Amino acid sequence: MSTLDKPYILVVDDEPAIRELIQDILQDEGYHVTTAADGSAARACLALRLPQLVLLDIWMPDCDGITLLKEWAETNKINCPVIMMSGHGTIDTAIEATKIGAYDFLEKPISLQKLLNTINSALKKEIHVTRIDQNFLNTSQLNWIVQLRQKLINLKTSN
């Protein structure tokens, strides 16, 4: 995968040092990265460009990450893996986040290898599922798939 093909990642964390460190690490790995300091900034970033992955802190001043994740899940704002991060997380918080739809939960301080492994795993899973689904829908001649494909096309064009 060339640098131009590397995914776009949104990092949402209220601590500037953590945001900058994660951004530097991911950019060194060739990812395109945007950062947001809080929920409002994250919403603004999403309005400009949809990421392929979000790293989302749980404890932020204006809106906690769980609330933001719920909002995104309820409104279908994003369709990508979300990895939650927290230095003060609990098992209950991690369980709640994954029930809402978070891909994983990382406890701060996050090791470099754990961060990169989790991101790579989340992106590979997302890419793999997307390719299978898209290929299946595009090539299947089964009657019910053909009908489903047409309904999806009709829904997409009617919005």
Side-chain angles (χ1 to χ4, degrees):
M1 178 179 278
S2 74
T3 304
L4 294 175
D5 296 334
K6 282 286 192 170
Y8 166 61
I9 297 175
L10 174 61
V11 178
V12 185
D13 197 304
D14 63 315
E15 297 179 51
I18 291 175
R19 271 195 323 272
E20 291 168 17
L21 179 62
I22 292 174
Q23 181 178 26
D24 289 345
I25 290 167
L26 296 179
Q27 286 177 336
D28 286 347
E29 292 294 316
Y31 292 104
H32 305 283
V33 182
T34 297
T35 63
D38 54 35
S40 297
R43 288 182 193 100
C45 288
L46 284 180
L48 295 174
R49 182 177 178 193
L50 294 176
Q52 278 79 39
L53 184 132
V54 176
L55 289 167
L56 179 59
D57 187 26
I58 290 184
W59 303 111
M60 297 183 294
D62 71 328
C63 175
D64 68 89
I66 296 289
T67 301
L68 197 55
L69 182 63
K70 282 181 188 175
E71 174 188 314
W72 290 343
E74 290 169 359
T75 60
N76 293 318
K77 289 283 184 191
I78 59 172
N79 186 20
C80 69
V82 176
I83 299 170
M84 304 301 289
M85 308 179 295
S86 181
H88 313 286
T90 65
I91 300 277
D92 292 337
T93 307
I95 291 170
E96 181 181 4
T98 54
K99 281 183 179 178
I100 297 167
Y103 176 81
D104 206 343
F105 181 91
L106 298 175
E107 190 171 350
K108 296 177 188 174
I110 305 166
S111 76
L112 173 63
Q113 202 56 51
K114 176 72 172 167
L115 175 68
L116 295 177
N117 286 344
T118 304
I119 289 171
N120 288 330
S121 173
L123 290 171
K124 283 179 185 173
K125 181 176 185 221
E126 185 69 18
I127 289 167
H128 181 64
V129 169
T130 302
R131 284 187 182 154
I132 289 172
D133 291 348
Q134 188 66 41
N135 189 43
F136 181 69
L137 283 175
N138 287 341
T139 61
S140 178
Q141 297 304 313
L142 294 172
N143 189 41
W144 70 272
I145 294 295
V146 172
Q147 291 174 354
L148 175 62
R149 182 173 50 226
Q150 189 57 51
K151 286 181 182 180
L152 290 171
I153 290 168
N154 291 344
L155 281 172
K156 186 175 180 180
T157 57
S158 68
N159 288 332

